[in-house]
Amino acid sequence: MTVTAPPARGAITAGEPIRLTSVNKTYTTATGPLPVLQDIDLHIETGEFVSLVGPSGCGKSTLLKIIAGLIPFDNGTVHVGEQAPKEGRRDVGFMLQQSVLMPWLSVRENVTLPFAIAREKGSHIAPRVEELLELVGLSHSADMNSWELSGGMQQRVALARTLALDPRVLLMDEPFAALDEFKREHLGLEVTKMHEDMGKTSILVTHSIPEAVMMSDRIIALGARPGRVVGDIRVDLPRPRSAAMIATPEFQDISRQVREALAGEDGSIS
Amino acid sequence: MTTIQTPPQPAVVRAETVPHTKPKDPLLSRTWVKVGLPLLVLALGVGAWEVASQTGLVNPITVPPASDTFAAMIDLSTKDYFWHAAWITLQETLLGFLIGSTLGLVLGALTGTFAVFRTALWPFIVAIQNTPRVALAPVFLTWFGFGMTSKVVMAAVICFFPVVINTVAGLSSVDANARMLFRTYGATTSQTFFRLTLPTAAPVTFAGIKTALTLALLGAIVGEFVGASEGLGVLVNEFNFQLEVAMGFAVVVYLAVIGLILYALIEWLERRLITWSN
Ligand SMILES: Nc1ncnc2c1ncn2[C@@H]1O[C@H](COP(=O)(O)OP(=O)(O)OP(=O)(O)O)[C@@H](O)[C@H]1O
Ligand SMILES: [Mg+2]
């Protein structure tokens, strides 16, 4: 591995472990308290890729927002690396289902936005942005308006933006859900490859079991609200992963385990 | 996503110059057809007007032929009093527009940014928006007299509200996910405002400003109708009293030209400032 700064493709910024102990979360709503997460214990190792699956409304997004420090939790402890979660942490990147690009900025400017918000200046930013654009395959579209892009390209820009500040922890809330099946698989494989290159600690929320199996080292199944851990399934498929693995008995067996863990939890999962 | 408060709808939909229908006929996308067809309609309309008036189908005293109106326009363009009147009306319009839309932006920004203002003021803004504000013209005449002030005030009052309403609508149209994104980057309040809220609001706000300019001219003319000694509205009134209808028509055509020029200028400004589509 080359040791150069700033970190380039292939260079590794080590991840950080994530530890949740007995985390509970209850929303206060107009109709009274709504318990959403119950006694969540979750230990994610440095560089591990974990998928969260579970029926709609079981609290997956809530859990991710807690880890990102966007919302408070009721009791228990959460550590991302050595620290408690806090919004605006540079070492945590968050990617949403919607690409949320700024239509008044070009593709390149959208990817530069995190540097601008972090008030980071310097000659290293421009090459870094080009590198990110190349990483997501958008070098040739850098000067396009973001609203001219297809949904898949927009999500690529969002991915590049999420990676801009080189976070150690990557939180992804259904980042491919708005894409069609083909683009979804394609981008999923690319993110898998990126993960294999970069080794960031990653949490992916998804409704797709094949996607979870394909990408993860471990799959956490949450039960219907209030969400609790009902399954913790290790994915022992070799890396690098490839689309060809889907047909293997091992892949099918892991998918079945996830399905069984979720059986009886209402809500649908594809 | 659940929003805590339903954002007020923009009062003014972005009025595009040409409605967006896909031209099915490739001929309709040709430039000469796009220019020629409206011109043909204009020629037919003016021709029908000319014939109807010349043949006595309509009373030529009350509806003078197009040719007379055109002659009157030429005549007017040589008269100093016409240019003076046009200058007065233009000043009233632009001053009223500047004052009204600036105040509208300020109140809109306060109302759109701070919930206290929204809760306290929104019912009144809606109430006044739905009041025919031109009815205030006589009141302003009493307060501010026959001079320009009462017209400037009328123009300002009439164009104030679309700006307020569209500014509020624009400011509340910021996507919850975008806000969350800015939070994940630890953006400060002012960063979020300048890098997210303001650009998001700009197109909707500008649509309100465009409407305001059109309304400002309307306000100035109404003000002049109610009572004034100078201005194009006064000229229209006087020519009609003297049964110089062709001259009256000619002034109205010039008013249309002024309105179109103002609209073209503000469109140009919009295209400079807002280069993206949401
Ligand atoms: N800010 C909030 N206030 C009150 N209730 C909320 C809030 N956010 C989410 N909820 C509720 O908490 C529950 C869990 O929401 P969450 O978004 O975490 O579910 P999810 O597992 O991500 O679902 P999905 O798979 O549909 O995205 C839902 O019932 C939701 O209605
Ligand atoms: Mg969710």
Side-chain angles (χ1 to χ4, degrees), chain A residues 27-29 34 36 55-62 174 207 225:
Chain A
Y27 282 117
T28 319
T29 67
L34 180 76
V36 174
S56 195
C58 73
K60 304 181 294 295
S61 297
T62 303
E174 306 190 44
H207 275 109
R225 196 176 58 231

Side-chain angles (χ1 to χ4, degrees), chain B residues 29-242:
Chain B
S29 54
R30 297 267 171 81
T31 311
W32 65 269
V33 179
K34 278 199 225 162
V35 177
L37 217 49
L39 279 180
L40 184 69
V41 173
L42 180 71
L44 285 176
V46 172
W49 167 17
E50 182 73 25
V51 170
S53 188
Q54 295 282 11
T55 57
L57 200 67
V58 295
N59 184 348
I61 309 276
T62 50
V63 188
S67 53
D68 284 12
T69 305
F70 190 66
M73 283 176 70
I74 305 225
D75 185 25
L76 269 182
S77 71
T78 63
K79 300 284 194 292
D80 279 348
Y81 71 82
F82 166 74
W83 292 108
H84 179 71
W87 174 230
I88 296 287
T89 302
L90 191 64
Q91 275 178 286
E92 292 164 353
T93 305
L94 292 180
L95 269 176
F97 166 73
L98 284 178
I99 295 170
S101 48
T102 307
L103 292 178
L105 278 174
V106 172
L107 189 75
L110 290 175
T111 313
T113 311
F114 301 107
V116 195
F117 281 88
R118 191 158 45 241
T119 312
L121 299 178
W122 194 246
F124 302 104
I125 292 171
V126 173
I128 300 174
Q129 167 68 11
N130 290 296
T131 307
R133 273 153 285 146
V134 289
L136 285 169
V139 179
F140 293 149
L141 187 67
T142 328
W143 288 355
F144 304 108
F146 277 77
M148 267 173 57
T149 314
S150 58
K151 286 84 202 169
V152 172
V153 173
M154 186 71 251
V157 166
I158 210 172
C159 67
F160 173 70
F161 287 90
V163 178
V164 174
I165 289 188
N166 275 40
T167 307
V168 174
L171 289 173
S172 20
S173 67
V174 179
D175 178 38
N177 282 319
R179 282 193 190 287
M180 201 160 83
L181 182 85
F182 270 67
R183 281 183 59 201
T184 67
Y185 288 119
T188 62
T189 312
S190 82
Q191 281 180 324
T192 307
F193 183 77
F194 287 108
R195 291 184 182 272
L196 177 64
T197 315
L198 207 61
T200 306
V204 184
T205 306
F206 209 92
I209 291 178
K210 265 163 84 173
T211 312
L213 186 55
T214 311
L215 287 177
L217 182 57
L218 182 82
I221 298 296
V222 168
E224 289 175 359
F225 280 170
V226 173
S229 42
E230 296 176 305
L232 291 179
V234 177
L235 281 190
V236 175
N237 244 347
E238 283 179 355
F239 285 135
N240 268 327
F241 273 129
Q242 299 157 9

Side-chain angles (χ1 to χ4, degrees), chain A residues 65 69-71 87-89 92 94 96 98 100 102-104 113-114 116-119 147 161-162 165, chain B residues 1 175 177-188 190-191 195-197 199-200 275-278:
Chain A
K65 286 179 196 165
L70 293 169
I71 52 173
E87 69 181 48
R89 268 178 65 169
V92 178
F94 200 114
L96 300 163
Q98 283 78 27
V100 230
M102 310 296 128
W104 50 90
L113 184 68
I117 296 177
R119 296 208 170 84
W147 42 272
R161 186 183 56 196
T162 312
L165 299 180
Chain B
M1 276 292 138
D175 178 38
N177 282 319
R179 282 193 190 287
M180 201 160 83
L181 182 85
F182 270 67
R183 281 183 59 201
T184 67
Y185 288 119
T188 62
S190 82
Q191 281 180 324
R195 291 184 182 272
L196 177 64
T197 315
T200 306
T275 50
W276 67 95
S277 92
N278 272 344

Side-chain angles (χ1 to χ4, degrees), chain A residues 106-154:
Chain A
S106 70
V107 167
R108 181 183 282 111
E109 289 165 336
N110 267 288
V111 178
T112 315
L113 184 68
F115 295 102
I117 296 177
R119 296 208 170 84
E120 188 171 323
K121 296 189 183 75
S123 54
H124 65 288
I125 294 175
R128 169 76 181 144
V129 168
E130 298 312 314
E131 187 183 279
L132 287 160
L133 288 167
E134 201 193 313
L135 184 70
V136 298
L138 284 176
S139 293
H140 298 290
S141 315
D143 294 309
M144 279 174 84
N145 296 312
S146 45
W147 42 272
E148 291 172 323
L149 304 178
S150 71
M153 289 162 96
Q154 292 186 6

